[in-house]
Amino acid sequence: MEKKKDILLKVIKASYRYSDAEEGEYALKDVSFDFELGKIYAIKGRSGSGKTTLLSLISGLERATDGEIIFDGKNLKDMNLDKYRSQEIGIVFQSYNLLPYMTASENIILSMDINGDKSKNKEEKAIKLMEKVGLKESYASRKVLRLSGGEQQRVAIARSLSYNPKMIIADEPTGNLDKQTEKEIIEIFKKLAHEENKCVIIVTHSDNVSKLVDKVYDLDKVK
Ligand code: ADP
Ligand code: MG
């Protein structure tokens, strides 16, 4: 018998229509995808196919016009979305979104503070998170503007892990990086899925990324 799947997130016939869209014009229509713990996913599709819109629904920034999104057995419709966003999911952006004049560890600690982390050894915790993404301790005190793009993205991934979320969502996280660095960043996400049992969801244009993940969902095939 097949082992019961550990589904963390279920998107069930989700549709989304922006308020200023024409009657009947949907950015996303009847999308159904399952996401399991311990796996890494790519969501691909041409520009305008609804990738960012789908991430907005999954990350609780927007509510689905129709359909359901179920996280860990609970419907997002019934959840406090601010709490969901600050405790359950980590988000990584294409442009890193770090504060350039702060150091790497200060950026991570700031996220811990915003999310109400009361622990006393935050610096130590930040350094451990940085080591997890392949940045040695000496990087902690370096200002972000003195880091390469790939290093900045590693800091951003470390930051997304600061409250130990089950799910990590990334919108084109390697869009500004060269091919080799892209591969290294995807390997970090893979390790988080396979060794730390996270559910990792990456929106990407890159076929190289699609080749490295466990499963690809193609929004062009839904429309
Ligand atoms: P992708 O990320 O795949 O390029 P998006 O999710 O950004 O696609 O967009 C999907 C569709 O929704 C597009 O047709 C786009 O023009 C439309 N759209 C995106 N954002 C908005 C918005 N804020 N208001 C109205 N329409 C939008
Ligand atoms: Mg997009």
Side-chain angles (χ1 to χ4, degrees):
M1 211 172 84
E2 202 190 342
K3 184 174 157 278
K4 188 179 161 289
K5 284 183 190 149
D6 224 348
I7 293 176
L8 180 67
L9 181 79
K10 263 184 111 61
V11 177
I12 308 165
K13 296 198 92 167
S15 299
Y16 190 78
R17 194 179 152 265
Y18 285 96
S19 54
D20 60 350
E22 309 263 323
E23 182 74 30
E25 192 186 83
Y26 285 83
L28 208 65
K29 186 79 181 143
D30 288 339
V31 169
S32 299
F33 296 147
D34 285 347
F35 300 93
E36 292 170 42
L37 280 170
K39 281 201 179 160
I40 177 166
Y41 297 84
I43 295 174
K44 67 171 200 175
R46 62 184 160 68
S47 180
S49 61
K51 301 183 296 296
T52 298
T53 303
L54 178 60
L55 286 196
S56 302
L57 298 187
I58 289 174
S59 60
L61 272 177
E62 307 284 354
R63 289 184 187 268
T65 311
D66 288 296
E68 317 291 335
I69 298 182
I70 314 288
F71 178 85
D72 220 0
K74 295 179 290 277
N75 197 318
L76 286 201
K77 273 182 187 151
D78 307 322
M79 286 170 76
N80 174 336
L81 292 181
D82 287 334
K83 205 167 155 199
Y84 169 68
R85 293 169 55 75
S86 65
Q87 294 178 357
E88 308 278 16
I89 60 175
I91 302 182
V92 175
F93 303 92
Q94 174 171 356
S95 48
Y96 327 127
N97 292 16
L98 299 165
L99 295 168
Y101 291 99
M102 287 173 78
T103 68
S105 63
E106 281 166 354
N107 269 274
I108 298 169
I109 291 168
L110 180 66
S111 158
M112 294 176 187
D113 289 338
I114 289 170
N115 292 295
D117 186 334
K118 299 274 190 309
S119 46
K120 292 206 175 67
N121 53 347
K122 285 183 198 156
E123 178 79 27
E124 219 173 286
K125 223 169 136 181
I127 289 168
K128 282 222 177 80
L129 290 171
M130 286 178 61
E131 281 169 352
K132 211 176 265 217
V133 299
L135 289 173
K136 48 182 195 276
E137 188 169 347
S138 59
Y139 282 76
S141 55
R142 226 175 314 137
K143 284 210 168 56
V144 162
L145 82 170
R146 305 227 180 280
L147 299 174
S148 71
E151 288 160 356
Q152 290 191 41
Q153 195 57 300
R154 285 172 197 257
V155 174
I157 296 169
R159 177 182 60 181
S160 81
L161 296 170
S162 65
Y163 41 91
N164 200 19
K166 292 196 178 104
M167 184 161 83
I168 300 164
I169 297 172
D171 197 354
E172 304 265 9
T174 60
N176 294 342
L177 303 174
D178 61 80
K179 238 171 132 178
Q180 174 58 29
T181 310
E182 171 173 85
K183 190 159 179 288
E184 290 169 16
I185 294 291
I186 298 305
E187 290 301 334
I188 293 170
F189 282 123
K190 261 179 106 161
K191 226 173 93 186
L192 291 170
H194 296 162
E195 292 175 21
E196 311 230 355
N197 207 35
K198 307 282 184 204
C199 173
V200 181
I201 304 175
I202 297 176
V203 156
T204 186
H205 273 120
S206 162
D207 287 334
N208 296 315
V209 173
S210 297
K211 278 183 207 135
L212 293 168
V213 301
D214 295 322
K215 191 168 172 69
V216 179
Y217 288 128
D218 187 347
L219 280 174
D220 292 336
K221 301 217 168 114
V222 180
K223 291 215 159 173

